[in-house]
Amino acid sequence: MKKKIFTSSYLGLESHLVEVEVDISRGLPMFSIVGMGDTAILESKFRVKAALKNSNYEISPQKIVVNLSPAGIKKEGAQFDLAIAIGIILEMKLLKDKREIVKDYLFIGELSLDGEVKGVTGTINTVILAKRKVLKVLYFLMKIEMKLA
């Protein structure tokens, strides 16, 4: 069973837990993000691929499908980049399997093309949501060359 990477979305002042699921398989190289995302989320695939490449992660051309669940909640913004990148790194086994560690964390952050994590809006709401769900918020202010230890 695939593990989920947690992030959050917000509508107005209310935050919602979002599960990021990544499936990587053989097939024509493609990268799709599904789950009712706006343009910034659909553009995430370009930021994430460039950030991973420029952070020295070798991404082989494969079929990548990212699901942002629940699909019924509209998702906006670029704060999903970090969670998507972590999901791809784990699914491609580019780091030691740290799935047990990431289940306790909520990841937020926009990625720049060089892999640096940028600030996002709604951070306070995300921290409140994480506290309610007994999760720790991981918000990196460095390149994604981190080790999840």
Side-chain angles (χ1 to χ4, degrees):
M1 173 97 190
K2 305 239 183 247
K3 298 290 184 194
K4 295 166 179 25
I5 306 297
F6 295 109
T7 188
S8 71
S9 180
Y10 58 91
L11 294 169
L13 295 175
E14 187 177 350
S15 288
H16 301 277
L17 193 65
V18 175
E19 298 173 350
V20 176
E21 300 171 302
V22 176
D23 181 66
I24 299 176
S25 59
R26 292 184 192 181
L28 292 174
M30 63 170 259
F31 192 146
S32 294
I33 301 175
V34 299
M36 209 166 158
D38 70 349
T39 304
I41 293 170
L42 297 178
E43 292 171 348
S44 270
K45 58 186 166 190
F46 302 110
R47 287 189 301 274
V48 168
K49 283 178 81 171
L52 290 173
K53 178 183 72 89
N54 293 325
S55 296
N56 299 318
Y57 287 101
E58 189 175 324
I59 306 298
S60 57
Q62 297 183 53
K63 181 180 177 182
I64 301 171
V65 178
V66 175
N67 181 41
L68 303 176
S69 177
I73 295 175
K74 181 138 179 69
K75 295 154 200 83
E76 298 177 342
Q79 72 264 21
F80 301 95
D81 290 1
L82 182 59
I84 292 169
I86 297 294
I88 290 171
I89 288 170
L90 291 175
E91 194 59 29
M92 287 191 163
K93 296 179 179 31
L94 299 174
L95 283 178
K96 288 184 178 178
D97 193 0
K98 302 291 184 182
R99 293 170 192 257
E100 291 307 309
I101 292 174
V102 299
K103 72 178 172 73
D104 297 328
Y105 289 89
L106 190 147
F107 296 87
I108 59 169
E110 176 184 350
L111 293 178
S112 66
L113 298 183
D114 68 354
E116 198 167 306
V117 180
K118 296 180 170 187
V120 295
T121 59
T123 306
I124 292 173
N125 293 346
T126 299
V127 170
I128 293 168
L129 172 70
K131 186 174 179 180
R132 270 196 346 243
K133 300 289 184 181
V134 194
L135 295 168
K136 301 167 192 147
V137 175
L138 216 48
Y139 182 76
F140 291 101
L141 295 174
M142 62 182 106
K143 286 192 166 208
I144 57 174
E145 296 172 24
M146 79 296 185
K147 304 296 183 227
L148 297 172

